[in-house]
Amino acid sequence: MLSSVSKLADKNFIIGFFLPSLLGVVAAMQMFSCPSWAGQVCAATAGPAASGHGAAAAADAFADLTFFAVAVWIIAVLLMALNYFEYRLAEGYLPPLCWLEPLRAYHRWKLKRLNARHDKLKESGKLTAASVLQWNILARYPRDDARILPTRFGNTVRAFEMYPAEVYGADSITIWLRLGSVIPKDFQELINDARAQVDFFVNIWFLAWVLALAVLARAVAERFHWTKAPVHDALATAIPIALCVAVAYVSYTWALGRIIAWGDMVKSAFDCYLPALAKQLGYVLPPEESARRAFWTDFSKLAIYRQQMTDKKWTLLSDQPTNPAGASPKQDDVIFEAGVRTITRRE
């Protein structure tokens, strides 16, 4: 349990969740009236003249800053709990983005157009340009247009998620949960570092939209007199919303570039450690490429659908001879006993 608590203060947590929550709280304080427990913080942001003087003021400021830090930390933990929801929302699996079928059709049309452009470059002999374009296509879109999602974020993530299935016949999500058992700690840290950068921009994107909706909700409440707060004019409402939308767009765009770097690390993990996973599972991979693909496809079906693997179709490590010289276990025992007798006689 203590090791899990320590993860709430490590580098990746600070980068991916604490910093976005800190920026979000500071932005919310500027857009809305300052809460009482953060009075000294707001006064500090307003200027040194408003922050007060003396030991009592310093003590109050310390207490307020403590509450402020705790609030930011709690929001960061909530963001970590909502991480899966945020990704599903950004990828286009959840409403309202999953309802936007025209966006899905647009990305299918764009993929078809990019593939046609690639073929044209290849036919004209511009192989370098064709290779660069092909890399961009594979980095941002899955090969099968039936798996296209309505967002750029979702298609970029799906592009590297489909890599293990296309290359090795392995279901990426199912195998990834087991691949972590054989990935070295140093390499796992590199993957987590790349993921933390994506988490940072995703959380900024999410908080920007939350603040924009909060400002809009405040304007609606003031318009229908649901609150006793003073009514803000249209400009005081439009500017914060426009800033939030701009921040959301920029963070979303930057996240796309970091997803590619994160995806390259994940693909490298499959390239380097799938054989080690097979050994960890107790199997010997066949030498033929097609047979290896069939093995990982069968194991994926086992993990997903609990479909048993065919008996004696794949070689187990336990079926392999343990003595490389070809001697049987009984022969090994005889050799060992003879060696012990020799040592005993010398003594």
mmCIF file with all atom_site columns, all heavy atoms in Angstrom, residues 30-48:
data_model
loop_
_atom_site.group_PDB
_atom_site.id
_atom_site.type_symbol
_atom_site.label_atom_id
_atom_site.label_alt_id
_atom_site.label_comp_id
_atom_site.label_asym_id
_atom_site.label_entity_id
_atom_site.label_seq_id
_atom_site.pdbx_PDB_ins_code
_atom_site.Cartn_x
_atom_site.Cartn_y
_atom_site.Cartn_z
_atom_site.occupancy
_atom_site.B_iso_or_equiv
_atom_site.pdbx_formal_charge
_atom_site.auth_seq_id
_atom_site.auth_comp_id
_atom_site.auth_asym_id
_atom_site.auth_atom_id
_atom_site.pdbx_PDB_model_num
ATOM 1   N N   . GLN A 1 30 ? -8.906  32.888 -11.283 1.00 0.00 ? 30 GLN A N   1
ATOM 2   C CA  . GLN A 1 30 ? -8.950  34.122 -12.057 1.00 0.00 ? 30 GLN A CA  1
ATOM 3   C C   . GLN A 1 30 ? -10.306 34.332 -12.731 1.00 0.00 ? 30 GLN A C   1
ATOM 4   O O   . GLN A 1 30 ? -10.721 35.472 -12.958 1.00 0.00 ? 30 GLN A O   1
ATOM 5   C CB  . GLN A 1 30 ? -7.844  34.116 -13.112 1.00 0.00 ? 30 GLN A CB  1
ATOM 6   C CG  . GLN A 1 30 ? -6.443  34.005 -12.547 1.00 0.00 ? 30 GLN A CG  1
ATOM 7   C CD  . GLN A 1 30 ? -6.082  35.135 -11.610 1.00 0.00 ? 30 GLN A CD  1
ATOM 8   O OE1 . GLN A 1 30 ? -6.417  36.298 -11.855 1.00 0.00 ? 30 GLN A OE1 1
ATOM 9   N NE2 . GLN A 1 30 ? -5.395  34.812 -10.526 1.00 0.00 ? 30 GLN A NE2 1
ATOM 10  N N   . MET A 1 31 ? -10.997 33.235 -13.018 1.00 0.00 ? 31 MET A N   1
ATOM 11  C CA  . MET A 1 31 ? -12.280 33.343 -13.716 1.00 0.00 ? 31 MET A CA  1
ATOM 12  C C   . MET A 1 31 ? -13.468 33.485 -12.782 1.00 0.00 ? 31 MET A C   1
ATOM 13  O O   . MET A 1 31 ? -14.493 34.076 -13.138 1.00 0.00 ? 31 MET A O   1
ATOM 14  C CB  . MET A 1 31 ? -12.490 32.103 -14.599 1.00 0.00 ? 31 MET A CB  1
ATOM 15  C CG  . MET A 1 31 ? -11.503 31.964 -15.733 1.00 0.00 ? 31 MET A CG  1
ATOM 16  S SD  . MET A 1 31 ? -11.827 30.487 -16.725 1.00 0.00 ? 31 MET A SD  1
ATOM 17  C CE  . MET A 1 31 ? -10.454 30.557 -17.863 1.00 0.00 ? 31 MET A CE  1
ATOM 18  N N   . PHE A 1 32 ? -13.326 32.948 -11.572 1.00 0.00 ? 32 PHE A N   1
ATOM 19  C CA  . PHE A 1 32 ? -14.438 32.967 -10.622 1.00 0.00 ? 32 PHE A CA  1
ATOM 20  C C   . PHE A 1 32 ? -14.008 33.679 -9.349  1.00 0.00 ? 32 PHE A C   1
ATOM 21  O O   . PHE A 1 32 ? -12.831 33.943 -9.118  1.00 0.00 ? 32 PHE A O   1
ATOM 22  C CB  . PHE A 1 32 ? -14.893 31.536 -10.300 1.00 0.00 ? 32 PHE A CB  1
ATOM 23  C CG  . PHE A 1 32 ? -15.340 30.765 -11.507 1.00 0.00 ? 32 PHE A CG  1
ATOM 24  C CD1 . PHE A 1 32 ? -14.443 29.955 -12.190 1.00 0.00 ? 32 PHE A CD1 1
ATOM 25  C CD2 . PHE A 1 32 ? -16.642 30.862 -11.979 1.00 0.00 ? 32 PHE A CD2 1
ATOM 26  C CE1 . PHE A 1 32 ? -14.837 29.241 -13.311 1.00 0.00 ? 32 PHE A CE1 1
ATOM 27  C CE2 . PHE A 1 32 ? -17.039 30.160 -13.102 1.00 0.00 ? 32 PHE A CE2 1
ATOM 28  C CZ  . PHE A 1 32 ? -16.144 29.351 -13.769 1.00 0.00 ? 32 PHE A CZ  1
ATOM 29  N N   . SER A 1 33 ? -14.960 33.973 -8.492  1.00 0.00 ? 33 SER A N   1
ATOM 30  C CA  . SER A 1 33 ? -14.649 34.618 -7.221  1.00 0.00 ? 33 SER A CA  1
ATOM 31  C C   . SER A 1 33 ? -13.800 33.692 -6.368  1.00 0.00 ? 33 SER A C   1
ATOM 32  O O   . SER A 1 33 ? -14.001 32.475 -6.359  1.00 0.00 ? 33 SER A O   1
ATOM 33  C CB  . SER A 1 33 ? -15.940 34.971 -6.478  1.00 0.00 ? 33 SER A CB  1
ATOM 34  O OG  . SER A 1 33 ? -16.710 33.793 -6.258  1.00 0.00 ? 33 SER A OG  1
ATOM 35  N N   . CYS A 1 34 ? -12.859 34.260 -5.648  1.00 0.00 ? 34 CYS A N   1
ATOM 36  C CA  . CYS A 1 34 ? -11.893 33.475 -4.886  1.00 0.00 ? 34 CYS A CA  1
ATOM 37  C C   . CYS A 1 34 ? -12.554 32.861 -3.658  1.00 0.00 ? 34 CYS A C   1
ATOM 38  O O   . CYS A 1 34 ? -13.251 33.554 -2.916  1.00 0.00 ? 34 CYS A O   1
ATOM 39  C CB  . CYS A 1 34 ? -10.741 34.373 -4.462  1.00 0.00 ? 34 CYS A CB  1
ATOM 40  S SG  . CYS A 1 34 ? -9.390  33.481 -3.696  1.00 0.00 ? 34 CYS A SG  1
ATOM 41  N N   . PRO A 1 35 ? -12.356 31.562 -3.390  1.00 0.00 ? 35 PRO A N   1
ATOM 42  C CA  . PRO A 1 35 ? -12.904 30.959 -2.177  1.00 0.00 ? 35 PRO A CA  1
ATOM 43  C C   . PRO A 1 35 ? -12.203 31.480 -0.934  1.00 0.00 ? 35 PRO A C   1
ATOM 44  O O   . PRO A 1 35 ? -11.076 31.954 -0.984  1.00 0.00 ? 35 PRO A O   1
ATOM 45  C CB  . PRO A 1 35 ? -12.645 29.460 -2.375  1.00 0.00 ? 35 PRO A CB  1
ATOM 46  C CG  . PRO A 1 35 ? -11.512 29.396 -3.330  1.00 0.00 ? 35 PRO A CG  1
ATOM 47  C CD  . PRO A 1 35 ? -11.653 30.581 -4.230  1.00 0.00 ? 35 PRO A CD  1
ATOM 48  N N   . SER A 1 36 ? -12.874 31.369 0.203   1.00 0.00 ? 36 SER A N   1
ATOM 49  C CA  . SER A 1 36 ? -12.336 31.940 1.434   1.00 0.00 ? 36 SER A CA  1
ATOM 50  C C   . SER A 1 36 ? -11.037 31.277 1.864   1.00 0.00 ? 36 SER A C   1
ATOM 51  O O   . SER A 1 36 ? -10.133 31.938 2.375   1.00 0.00 ? 36 SER A O   1
ATOM 52  C CB  . SER A 1 36 ? -13.377 31.812 2.559   1.00 0.00 ? 36 SER A CB  1
ATOM 53  O OG  . SER A 1 36 ? -13.727 30.437 2.761   1.00 0.00 ? 36 SER A OG  1
ATOM 54  N N   . TRP A 1 37 ? -10.917 29.950 1.615   1.00 0.00 ? 37 TRP A N   1
ATOM 55  C CA  . TRP A 1 37 ? -9.721  29.254 2.086   1.00 0.00 ? 37 TRP A CA  1
ATOM 56  C C   . TRP A 1 37 ? -8.481  29.591 1.262   1.00 0.00 ? 37 TRP A C   1
ATOM 57  O O   . TRP A 1 37 ? -7.366  29.268 1.641   1.00 0.00 ? 37 TRP A O   1
ATOM 58  C CB  . TRP A 1 37 ? -9.924  27.740 2.085   1.00 0.00 ? 37 TRP A CB  1
ATOM 59  C CG  . TRP A 1 37 ? -10.415 27.169 0.798   1.00 0.00 ? 37 TRP A CG  1
ATOM 60  C CD1 . TRP A 1 37 ? -11.705 26.914 0.469   1.00 0.00 ? 37 TRP A CD1 1
ATOM 61  C CD2 . TRP A 1 37 ? -9.629  26.780 -0.329  1.00 0.00 ? 37 TRP A CD2 1
ATOM 62  N NE1 . TRP A 1 37 ? -11.785 26.400 -0.795  1.00 0.00 ? 37 TRP A NE1 1
ATOM 63  C CE2 . TRP A 1 37 ? -10.533 26.290 -1.309  1.00 0.00 ? 37 TRP A CE2 1
ATOM 64  C CE3 . TRP A 1 37 ? -8.273  26.778 -0.615  1.00 0.00 ? 37 TRP A CE3 1
ATOM 65  C CZ2 . TRP A 1 37 ? -10.097 25.835 -2.537  1.00 0.00 ? 37 TRP A CZ2 1
ATOM 66  C CZ3 . TRP A 1 37 ? -7.841  26.324 -1.839  1.00 0.00 ? 37 TRP A CZ3 1
ATOM 67  C CH2 . TRP A 1 37 ? -8.753  25.859 -2.789  1.00 0.00 ? 37 TRP A CH2 1
ATOM 68  N N   . ALA A 1 38 ? -8.680  30.251 0.122   1.00 0.00 ? 38 ALA A N   1
ATOM 69  C CA  . ALA A 1 38 ? -7.545  30.638 -0.726  1.00 0.00 ? 38 ALA A CA  1
ATOM 70  C C   . ALA A 1 38 ? -7.403  32.145 -0.822  1.00 0.00 ? 38 ALA A C   1
ATOM 71  O O   . ALA A 1 38 ? -6.876  32.667 -1.795  1.00 0.00 ? 38 ALA A O   1
ATOM 72  C CB  . ALA A 1 38 ? -7.692  30.034 -2.112  1.00 0.00 ? 38 ALA A CB  1
ATOM 73  N N   . GLY A 1 39 ? -7.847  32.847 0.233   1.00 0.00 ? 39 GLY A N   1
ATOM 74  C CA  . GLY A 1 39 ? -7.808  34.298 0.178   1.00 0.00 ? 39 GLY A CA  1
ATOM 75  C C   . GLY A 1 39 ? -6.412  34.856 0.020   1.00 0.00 ? 39 GLY A C   1
ATOM 76  O O   . GLY A 1 39 ? -6.175  35.776 -0.765  1.00 0.00 ? 39 GLY A O   1
ATOM 77  N N   . GLN A 1 40 ? -5.443  34.321 0.787   1.00 0.00 ? 40 GLN A N   1
ATOM 78  C CA  . GLN A 1 40 ? -4.082  34.820 0.695   1.00 0.00 ? 40 GLN A CA  1
ATOM 79  C C   . GLN A 1 40 ? -3.459  34.521 -0.663  1.00 0.00 ? 40 GLN A C   1
ATOM 80  O O   . GLN A 1 40 ? -2.661  35.301 -1.181  1.00 0.00 ? 40 GLN A O   1
ATOM 81  C CB  . GLN A 1 40 ? -3.232  34.214 1.813   1.00 0.00 ? 40 GLN A CB  1
ATOM 82  C CG  . GLN A 1 40 ? -3.660  34.656 3.210   1.00 0.00 ? 40 GLN A CG  1
ATOM 83  C CD  . GLN A 1 40 ? -3.426  36.134 3.432   1.00 0.00 ? 40 GLN A CD  1
ATOM 84  O OE1 . GLN A 1 40 ? -2.547  36.724 2.816   1.00 0.00 ? 40 GLN A OE1 1
ATOM 85  N NE2 . GLN A 1 40 ? -4.211  36.745 4.307   1.00 0.00 ? 40 GLN A NE2 1
ATOM 86  N N   . VAL A 1 41 ? -3.823  33.382 -1.241  1.00 0.00 ? 41 VAL A N   1
ATOM 87  C CA  . VAL A 1 41 ? -3.294  33.046 -2.565  1.00 0.00 ? 41 VAL A CA  1
ATOM 88  C C   . VAL A 1 41 ? -3.799  34.032 -3.602  1.00 0.00 ? 41 VAL A C   1
ATOM 89  O O   . VAL A 1 41 ? -3.049  34.538 -4.440  1.00 0.00 ? 41 VAL A O   1
ATOM 90  C CB  . VAL A 1 41 ? -3.683  31.606 -2.944  1.00 0.00 ? 41 VAL A CB  1
ATOM 91  C CG1 . VAL A 1 41 ? -3.180  31.269 -4.350  1.00 0.00 ? 41 VAL A CG1 1
ATOM 92  C CG2 . VAL A 1 41 ? -3.106  30.616 -1.945  1.00 0.00 ? 41 VAL A CG2 1
ATOM 93  N N   . CYS A 1 42 ? -5.100  34.318 -3.545  1.00 0.00 ? 42 CYS A N   1
ATOM 94  C CA  . CYS A 1 42 ? -5.659  35.283 -4.493  1.00 0.00 ? 42 CYS A CA  1
ATOM 95  C C   . CYS A 1 42 ? -5.098  36.678 -4.258  1.00 0.00 ? 42 CYS A C   1
ATOM 96  O O   . CYS A 1 42 ? -4.856  37.431 -5.192  1.00 0.00 ? 42 CYS A O   1
ATOM 97  C CB  . CYS A 1 42 ? -7.180  35.299 -4.374  1.00 0.00 ? 42 CYS A CB  1
ATOM 98  S SG  . CYS A 1 42 ? -7.959  33.736 -4.827  1.00 0.00 ? 42 CYS A SG  1
ATOM 99  N N   . ALA A 1 43 ? -4.893  37.016 -2.989  1.00 0.00 ? 43 ALA A N   1
ATOM 100 C CA  . ALA A 1 43 ? -4.317  38.322 -2.685  1.00 0.00 ? 43 ALA A CA  1
ATOM 101 C C   . ALA A 1 43 ? -2.899  38.431 -3.219  1.00 0.00 ? 43 ALA A C   1
ATOM 102 O O   . ALA A 1 43 ? -2.467  39.472 -3.709  1.00 0.00 ? 43 ALA A O   1
ATOM 103 C CB  . ALA A 1 43 ? -4.333  38.561 -1.182  1.00 0.00 ? 43 ALA A CB  1
ATOM 104 N N   . ALA A 1 44 ? -2.161  37.321 -3.153  1.00 0.00 ? 44 ALA A N   1
ATOM 105 C CA  . ALA A 1 44 ? -0.792  37.327 -3.665  1.00 0.00 ? 44 ALA A CA  1
ATOM 106 C C   . ALA A 1 44 ? -0.771  37.518 -5.171  1.00 0.00 ? 44 ALA A C   1
ATOM 107 O O   . ALA A 1 44 ? 0.102   38.201 -5.712  1.00 0.00 ? 44 ALA A O   1
ATOM 108 C CB  . ALA A 1 44 ? -0.080  36.042 -3.279  1.00 0.00 ? 44 ALA A CB  1
ATOM 109 N N   . THR A 1 45 ? -1.740  36.907 -5.844  1.00 0.00 ? 45 THR A N   1
ATOM 110 C CA  . THR A 1 45 ? -1.801  37.080 -7.294  1.00 0.00 ? 45 THR A CA  1
ATOM 111 C C   . THR A 1 45 ? -2.259  38.477 -7.678  1.00 0.00 ? 45 THR A C   1
ATOM 112 O O   . THR A 1 45 ? -1.942  38.967 -8.760  1.00 0.00 ? 45 THR A O   1
ATOM 113 C CB  . THR A 1 45 ? -2.758  36.052 -7.918  1.00 0.00 ? 45 THR A CB  1
ATOM 114 O OG1 . THR A 1 45 ? -4.058  36.211 -7.327  1.00 0.00 ? 45 THR A OG1 1
ATOM 115 C CG2 . THR A 1 45 ? -2.268  34.648 -7.668  1.00 0.00 ? 45 THR A CG2 1
ATOM 116 N N   . ALA A 1 46 ? -3.018  39.143 -6.760  1.00 0.00 ? 46 ALA A N   1
ATOM 117 C CA  . ALA A 1 46 ? -3.485  40.491 -7.046  1.00 0.00 ? 46 ALA A CA  1
ATOM 118 C C   . ALA A 1 46 ? -2.381  41.524 -6.850  1.00 0.00 ? 46 ALA A C   1
ATOM 119 O O   . ALA A 1 46 ? -2.402  42.594 -7.435  1.00 0.00 ? 46 ALA A O   1
ATOM 120 C CB  . ALA A 1 46 ? -4.679  40.836 -6.156  1.00 0.00 ? 46 ALA A CB  1
ATOM 121 N N   . GLY A 1 47 ? -1.402  41.211 -5.986  1.00 0.00 ? 47 GLY A N   1
ATOM 122 C CA  . GLY A 1 47 ? -0.322  42.158 -5.752  1.00 0.00 ? 47 GLY A CA  1
ATOM 123 C C   . GLY A 1 47 ? 0.124   42.138 -4.320  1.00 0.00 ? 47 GLY A C   1
ATOM 124 O O   . GLY A 1 47 ? -0.617  41.724 -3.432  1.00 0.00 ? 47 GLY A O   1
ATOM 125 N N   . PRO A 1 48 ? 1.337   42.617 -4.031  1.00 0.00 ? 48 PRO A N   1
ATOM 126 C CA  . PRO A 1 48 ? 1.856   42.564 -2.681  1.00 0.00 ? 48 PRO A CA  1
ATOM 127 C C   . PRO A 1 48 ? 1.113   43.461 -1.717  1.00 0.00 ? 48 PRO A C   1
ATOM 128 O O   . PRO A 1 48 ? 1.072   43.187 -0.528  1.00 0.00 ? 48 PRO A O   1
ATOM 129 C CB  . PRO A 1 48 ? 3.321   42.998 -2.852  1.00 0.00 ? 48 PRO A CB  1
ATOM 130 C CG  . PRO A 1 48 ? 3.351   43.783 -4.125  1.00 0.00 ? 48 PRO A CG  1
ATOM 131 C CD  . PRO A 1 48 ? 2.322   43.173 -4.992  1.00 0.00 ? 48 PRO A CD  1
#
